[in-house]
Amino acid sequence: MPATTIHFVRHGKVENPDQLLYERLPGFHLSGSGVRMAQATAQYIAQDPQLSTVTAVYSSPLERTRETAGEILTQLNARRAQRGQEPLQLVTDDRLIEARNEFRGTRIGHGDGALWKHHNLKLVSNLWKPSWGETYAQIAQRMGDFADEKIRQYVGQQIIVVSHESPIWSYRHLLETGRPEHNMIMRHTALASVTSITYDPETGRMLSIAYADPAANVE
């Protein structure tokens, strides 16, 4: 049975002058740099003979992921038009959303950051769980549920899924190590990067993982 590949794309850089942890809050859009990142990744996808044959594009419902997916669709559909194919439409799925975090809307850096407030110390008691919100196991579970569904829906095909750093890495780490818990400092999911996971659609087993960072040099 032909393999299925899901290309997990992280959104581009977000406009965030106050350096807030925006989590799932509305109103956080791509910055100018973020748009250019999304466009670079879109070009990478549309110009690749294999990637440009994807048959569906999904994203988290948040603005930054939908905007990144929009840039991908613009270039991908232009390529499809050249082939005489119908344009693809974006489909959102709540399972792809950013991880829930109790620090949402605050600054968590040094100085006056919320991370250093005494009443918040209980939220960072376990860096591996993590104790400040949705656990890595919960995140990986919903991403895995989505992937298992799409692996069988798109047998022998490729799809694009635009999501966020923590969901993509937690799920990837689970597939590679058997556990979703990880050190967040060691994540390898750059802005607008592409993590491509290929599966056996009959068993759902991962066959391979590839990674690309088309927007690495975008400023």
Side-chain angles (χ1 to χ4, degrees):
M1 185 177 291
T4 303
T5 300
I6 301 179
H7 303 281
F8 292 93
V9 178
R10 184 183 174 192
H11 62 80
K13 187 175 182 180
V14 174
E15 185 68 31
N16 184 20
D18 295 325
Q19 298 298 304
L20 301 179
L21 195 153
Y22 37 79
E23 193 234 28
R24 301 177 181 179
L25 295 174
F28 285 89
H29 300 268
L30 294 181
S31 65
S33 175
V35 171
R36 292 190 292 275
M37 287 179 174
Q39 290 170 340
T41 297
Q43 184 176 32
Y44 168 79
I45 291 170
Q47 292 183 351
D48 186 278
Q50 286 297 112
L51 275 170
S52 63
T53 63
V54 298
T55 54
V57 178
Y58 290 85
S59 89
S60 153
L62 299 178
E63 289 101 326
R64 55 193 183 272
T65 44
R66 288 189 286 108
E67 290 165 356
T68 301
E71 295 294 341
I72 293 171
L73 280 168
T74 294
Q75 296 198 39
L76 192 57
N77 282 336
R79 181 71 181 273
R80 289 177 64 85
Q82 294 173 354
R83 297 170 174 165
Q85 298 172 310
E86 292 294 318
L88 298 177
Q89 302 294 325
L90 178 62
V91 180
T92 61
D93 193 299
D94 288 343
R95 290 173 290 184
L96 306 173
I97 201 167
E98 178 64 284
R100 178 175 52 79
N101 193 311
E102 297 304 322
F103 286 105
R104 75 183 67 82
T106 67
R107 296 180 62 189
I108 60 172
H110 292 282
D112 63 349
L115 186 61
W116 312 107
K117 303 297 184 183
H118 180 73
H119 62 275
N120 285 333
L121 293 180
K122 64 181 183 298
L123 295 176
V124 291
S125 61
N126 187 334
L127 300 182
W128 289 88
K129 188 176 178 181
S131 51
W132 54 82
E134 190 178 15
T135 68
Y136 292 135
Q138 291 168 331
I139 297 166
Q141 178 66 54
R142 57 179 168 82
M143 293 291 284
D145 288 346
F146 172 88
D148 288 345
E149 178 184 294
K150 301 310 173 187
I151 290 166
R152 291 163 177 80
Q153 182 178 346
Y154 295 98
V155 174
Q157 301 176 62
Q158 304 179 81
I159 67 171
I160 289 171
V161 173
V162 186
S163 186
H164 308 265
E165 180 183 32
S166 181
I168 294 171
W169 186 259
S170 297
Y171 175 57
R172 174 179 176 172
H173 199 266
L174 174 64
L175 293 178
E176 291 185 308
T177 70
R179 64 184 190 279
E181 293 79 17
H182 60 274
N183 183 339
M184 67 174 66
I185 299 174
M186 303 302 292
R187 290 173 181 164
H188 191 51
T189 316
L191 290 165
S193 61
V194 184
T195 300
S196 301
I197 305 179
T198 299
Y199 309 82
D200 178 337
E202 186 170 2
T203 64
R205 184 173 62 88
M206 177 196 71
L207 300 176
S208 65
I209 297 180
Y211 177 80
D213 188 3
N217 297 318
V218 174
E219 297 181 358

